[in-house]
Amino acid sequence: MEQAPLMEMLTWPETMGINEPPAANLIQENGETIEIIAAALSAGKLFPGHAVGITDEDLDAYAAVGASSCHESVTPDQIILKLRRGLKPWLRHGSAAPDLVNVLPAVRAHPDWMRWTCLCSDEVDPADLYQKGGMDFKVRLAVENGIAPIDAIRMATINPAEYYRVDDRLGSVSPGKLADLVVTESLSEFQVRDVVVGGRVVMSQRRLTTSLPQGGGYPDFVRSQTILRNAMNAGDFEFHVPTGANRVRVRVIGVADGTLVSQPLEADLPVVNGNVESDITHDVLKLAVIDRHTGSGRIGLSFTSGFRLQRGAVSTTYCHPFYQLLVLGTNDADMARAANIMREIGGGIVVVDGENVEQWELSLVGIYTAAPFADAQREFLRINQAIRDLGCPLKAPVLALSFVALQTIPTYGLSDKGLFDARVQGFVSPVLSAEC
Ligand SMILES: [Fe+2]
């Protein structure tokens, strides 16, 4: 994203802060990023951090520039490193990064530190939300893992309210505060029995006492769109290398369940008629990120491992790097087909398996569904299963696809401008060497 719109957004009263500027940008003294942060801090806004895997002087520098929290800790040691530098640790438990139980020993060993810690999600998928719960699940999990119930509840209520400086209105049950309340049968089990929202009982004895608002009535500008310059064909997904090469060594984005951090892998791939092809046997598949917002025709191509598709292709607009169109495939023709179907439906997830096509349409900005929650979680499960039916062993392939190209989490990301190395915050060539 460019500097000017961020600077403008920082003047909006409803802007809370500048969220997660990548640490590498600051360590390399990127002038634009530093100016944005300076503007945020001088306007009294927050700088919640995103310090993935950094330590020592780099972490000192990140804190010194103004980062005041970090939700990226995956070990107790990382929690301690951040607390020592005044960065409040948010303990994350998301569907793609379920870290809470791993990091809890840090605060369990130092109960006085709990005053600085908060619970957070960093993305929970509809199935987990439906089946396990939201913040109530995280409170239960913390209690099950040795945190006193009152401390766990503070980490979900007053602590985040204080961090976001809204504790004058939210986060405690006290006179004059806005309070949506839950009544639980016991603090340790934390099973919610009654819910009060805006002073009205909306759930009583675990039954809804009100009807939920139905989706609809959204303004036209939030309707999902995939704007491509033209219909795509297999040739658009060809990865060309200099004439004469018959094998190339390439950089590969390695993905696995349970972590957002990708592995920087390498692989040798065959070149057929000047085009580098996916290698299904060795699980090196082609990945594309295509501009779907302006129809510029920009496309970034690279390779990934971990999805293990045996055939077909998947396209998705639920793709965190700017919610562009991301396509993963075993062959260029199916990738083009998956992209073209998305162009027709606007946004969502499309799975091409030979003649069969499964799709989950996300009708709002390519990310959201207006369908009822129960339907959304069922659709989410169905589309994940359709991807697994192509051979993918991952627990939630849709989430893995949403993170695979992200440029702010090491190691590699992919944008419509090409392969990006998050460690150095710069573009790199997917090809390391070519063999004639
Ligand atoms: Fe983050």
Side-chain angles (χ1 to χ4, degrees):
M1 194 159 185
E2 284 165 14
Q3 189 189 33
L6 286 170
M7 291 297 233
E8 199 213 310
M9 281 188 262
L10 281 172
T11 67
W12 298 352
E14 63 269 40
T15 298
M16 171 275 297
I18 178 75
N19 204 42
E20 303 187 57
N25 260 5
L26 294 167
I27 292 155
Q28 290 163 23
E29 300 183 25
N30 177 301
E32 287 201 350
T33 311
I34 289 171
E35 280 171 24
I36 294 166
I37 289 168
L41 296 178
S42 65
K45 312 245 182 209
L46 288 164
F47 166 9
H50 166 93
V52 184
I54 60 165
T55 56
D56 307 324
E57 291 92 350
D58 287 349
L59 195 53
D60 291 340
Y62 200 56
V65 181
S68 53
S69 68
C70 178
H71 60 272
E72 298 286 355
S73 299
V74 296
T75 64
D77 287 354
Q78 290 176 4
I79 298 275
I80 295 166
L81 285 178
K82 285 160 195 169
L83 267 168
R84 283 193 176 137
R85 286 159 176 86
L87 292 167
K88 293 175 182 160
W90 287 64
L91 314 185
R92 170 173 64 190
H93 204 79
S95 300
D99 299 315
L100 180 59
V101 174
N102 295 338
V103 296
L104 272 180
V107 282
R108 213 163 42 218
H110 301 275
D112 48 321
W113 291 354
M114 285 183 213
R115 111 170 237 233
W116 306 113
T117 56
C118 303
L119 301 176
C120 73
S121 295
D122 207 11
E123 195 166 330
V124 170
D125 69 43
D128 276 352
L129 198 56
Y130 193 82
Q131 291 160 15
K132 296 177 185 166
M135 198 49 77
D136 56 328
F137 169 63
K138 282 178 248 298
V139 169
R140 275 195 296 280
L141 196 60
V143 172
E144 269 167 31
N145 285 276
I147 303 297
I150 294 297
D151 286 328
I153 292 167
R154 280 188 188 129
M155 288 195 274
T157 55
I158 187 67
N159 291 6
E162 283 178 348
Y163 178 74
Y164 284 115
R165 303 171 184 161
V166 292
D167 54 306
D168 58 331
R169 282 157 283 158
L170 302 172
S172 63
V173 183
S174 47
K177 306 291 193 300
L178 298 169
D180 293 341
L181 304 170
V182 295
V183 178
T184 65
E185 286 169 0
S186 91
L187 287 181
S188 52
E189 304 287 315
F190 213 81
Q191 293 292 345
V192 175
R193 195 192 67 191
D194 308 316
V195 179
V196 182
V197 175
R200 235 163 38 92
V201 176
V202 297
M203 189 173 93
S204 174
Q205 303 293 336
R206 311 203 69 179
R207 285 182 182 279
L208 272 180
T209 55
T210 183
S211 55
L212 295 171
Q214 294 301 305
Y218 297 99
D220 207 41
F221 70 86
V222 298
R223 190 174 47 85
S224 297
Q225 291 187 80
T226 289
I227 305 167
L228 304 179
R229 197 166 51 183
N230 300 109
M232 301 194 78
N233 56 53
D236 294 318
F237 292 88
E238 286 186 0
F239 190 105
H240 296 289
V241 285
T243 8
N246 55 33
R247 263 191 110 61
V248 286
R249 187 148 189 87
V250 295
R251 293 185 161 96
V252 176
I253 310 171
V255 301
D257 264 333
T259 175
L260 305 181
V261 178
S262 58
Q263 291 303 308
L265 306 178
E266 294 181 10
D268 293 312
L269 288 177
V271 180
V272 179
N273 299 326
N275 174 30
V276 183
E277 299 200 329
S278 292
D279 180 347
I280 298 166
T281 317
H282 298 98
D283 183 32
V284 183
L285 304 179
K286 208 175 268 183
L287 188 69
V289 171
I290 303 157
D291 171 24
R292 76 172 175 100
H293 300 303
T294 70
S296 65
R298 270 197 310 273
I299 174 168
L301 289 168
S302 191
F303 301 93
T304 185
S305 180
F307 289 97
R308 294 200 214 161
L309 304 191
Q310 300 301 303
R311 58 186 186 278
V314 182
S315 64
T316 176
T317 55
Y318 185 66
C319 161
H320 297 321
F322 309 110
Y323 302 99
Q324 300 281 32
L325 172 59
L326 181 135
V327 188
L328 168 75
T330 56
N331 66 84
D332 300 344
D334 282 345
M335 290 176 84
R337 196 158 161 237
N340 289 333
I341 295 168
M342 191 66 78
R343 189 183 185 214
E344 284 163 29
I345 66 172
I349 294 137
V350 172
V351 181
V352 171
D353 181 4
E355 285 310 301
N356 285 342
V357 175
E358 296 280 342
Q359 63 196 51
W360 179 26
E361 204 176 321
L362 298 173
S363 60
L364 304 174
V365 298
I367 306 171
Y368 302 107
T369 170
F373 185 27
D375 296 352
Q377 71 100 25
R378 204 168 38 240
E379 287 287 277
F380 176 81
L381 291 172
R382 178 182 66 78
I383 206 73
N384 274 294
Q385 188 55 47
I387 304 172
R388 274 198 296 270
D389 288 346
L390 298 178
C392 181
L394 299 174
K395 175 181 160 273
V398 168
L399 257 63
L401 286 167
S402 74
F403 281 109
V404 62
L406 195 57
Q407 295 105 336
T408 54
I409 295 185
T411 48
Y412 294 131
L414 180 66
S415 82
D416 57 6
K417 294 177 182 158
L419 184 64
F420 194 82
D421 189 332
R423 296 165 296 183
V424 296
Q425 289 290 294
F427 288 97
V428 291
S429 168
V431 176
L432 289 159
S433 60
E435 205 177 279
C436 294

